[in-house]
Amino acid sequence: RSDESITIDTTILVHFFGKKGKAELTFDDFYRFMDNLQTEVLEIEFLTYSKGMTTISEEDFAKILLRFTNVENISAYMENVRQCIPDEKKQEGITFDEFRSFFQFLNNLEDFAIAMQMYNFASRSIGQDEFARAVYVATGLKLTRHLVNTIFKIFDVDHDEQLSYKEFIGIMKDRLHRGGRGYKSVERASSFRSCLKKELASR
């Protein structure tokens, strides 16, 4: 209808601001809504691959990561996973908690990239322990050892047990831009870099 005075309250408007539209929406409430929404979307994607099981295979995890990227030869990365992860490890699979924690990490990719640059400037190689530590310092997330190992096997193109992190960050940024960015977690930019320097310098 063309009458501009007529407004239609959508379900989400009512949810946020009440039937009269006068309720207050706090940041914490909105953040919780976005967190729940993102979790549900991830769960749908996870269940598509898990087919009723509690885990998805490492190969399926790699497929999901490389979707919405400009990687031309995805088969090479898939072969990396097949060759580098022993059969007994493949049986573990990736749980939903691991799956969700990885995408929470992607929401803080810029902070992680800063941590990686600082390691690089200090001429330090990036092994699995350093990677996990940098993720924790930058995001507060503790990725499981199996998840970190799987990430390394996907992106360790030289098979030297070191992460090709420039390629990893480039591919993940491309995925975020093409696949739609998730919400950013609360950033405290004023203190982040100083804390990060102290944490990395102490290691």
Side-chain angles (χ1 to χ4, degrees):
R1 303 174 67 173
S2 60
D3 189 344
E4 294 182 359
S5 66
I6 297 175
T7 59
I8 300 174
D9 290 335
T10 63
T11 303
I12 197 166
L13 279 175
V14 173
H15 176 75
F16 284 156
F17 303 106
K19 291 183 179 180
K20 295 183 178 181
K22 296 182 179 180
E24 183 178 287
L25 177 65
T26 67
F27 176 81
D28 288 342
D29 288 339
F30 183 71
Y31 182 89
R32 192 179 304 110
F33 171 82
M34 291 300 296
D35 184 50
N36 290 336
L37 177 62
Q38 186 180 54
T39 298
E40 287 186 25
V41 171
L42 289 174
E43 192 170 14
I44 291 171
E45 187 169 28
F46 183 86
L47 290 173
T48 301
Y49 286 88
S50 69
K51 297 177 174 63
M53 305 296 287
T54 58
T55 61
I56 61 174
S57 71
E58 288 79 2
E59 290 182 33
D60 284 339
F61 179 66
K63 288 177 186 176
I64 293 170
L65 292 194
L66 297 172
R67 198 165 56 174
F68 304 120
T69 68
N70 60 359
V71 173
E72 295 180 0
N73 190 13
I74 292 180
S75 60
Y77 289 91
M78 302 305 299
E79 191 60 29
N80 245 9
V81 178
R82 296 187 192 101
Q83 289 183 356
C84 297
I85 300 180
D87 289 338
E88 61 270 19
K89 287 290 186 183
K90 287 181 183 177
Q91 293 174 4
E92 289 185 27
I94 303 296
T95 67
F96 179 70
D97 285 342
E98 290 175 316
F99 185 75
R100 182 173 183 266
S101 67
F102 180 80
F103 282 93
Q104 286 177 319
F105 152 64
L106 283 190
N107 290 336
N108 297 274
L109 192 63
E110 293 292 342
D111 294 341
F112 172 77
I114 294 173
M116 289 292 92
Q117 288 173 0
M118 294 184 72
Y119 274 121
N120 187 37
F121 294 154
S123 301
R124 297 181 62 171
S125 58
I126 306 300
Q128 293 192 24
D129 290 340
E130 288 84 2
F131 176 85
R133 177 63 182 164
V135 169
Y136 179 69
V137 169
T139 69
L141 294 167
K142 290 186 177 180
L143 304 184
T144 66
R145 183 165 292 277
H146 178 59
L147 179 59
V148 172
N149 183 58
T150 301
I151 294 167
F152 264 64
K153 297 314 181 191
I154 296 171
F155 293 98
D156 181 15
V157 293
D158 300 326
H159 303 288
D160 61 356
E161 299 300 322
Q162 304 294 309
L163 182 69
S164 304
Y165 62 90
K166 286 184 179 179
E167 182 175 15
F168 167 75
I169 291 174
I171 291 174
M172 290 301 96
K173 282 184 177 180
D174 186 56
R175 186 190 196 283
L176 288 173
H177 290 143
R178 288 169 180 255
R181 295 185 65 88
Y183 66 91
K184 283 285 286 181
S185 63
V186 183
E187 292 184 11
R188 294 168 177 82
S190 60
S191 60
F192 171 74
R193 286 180 177 78
S194 61
C195 290
L196 184 63
K197 290 178 182 178
K198 289 179 182 177
E199 287 286 347
L200 295 179
S202 66
R203 299 293 161 182

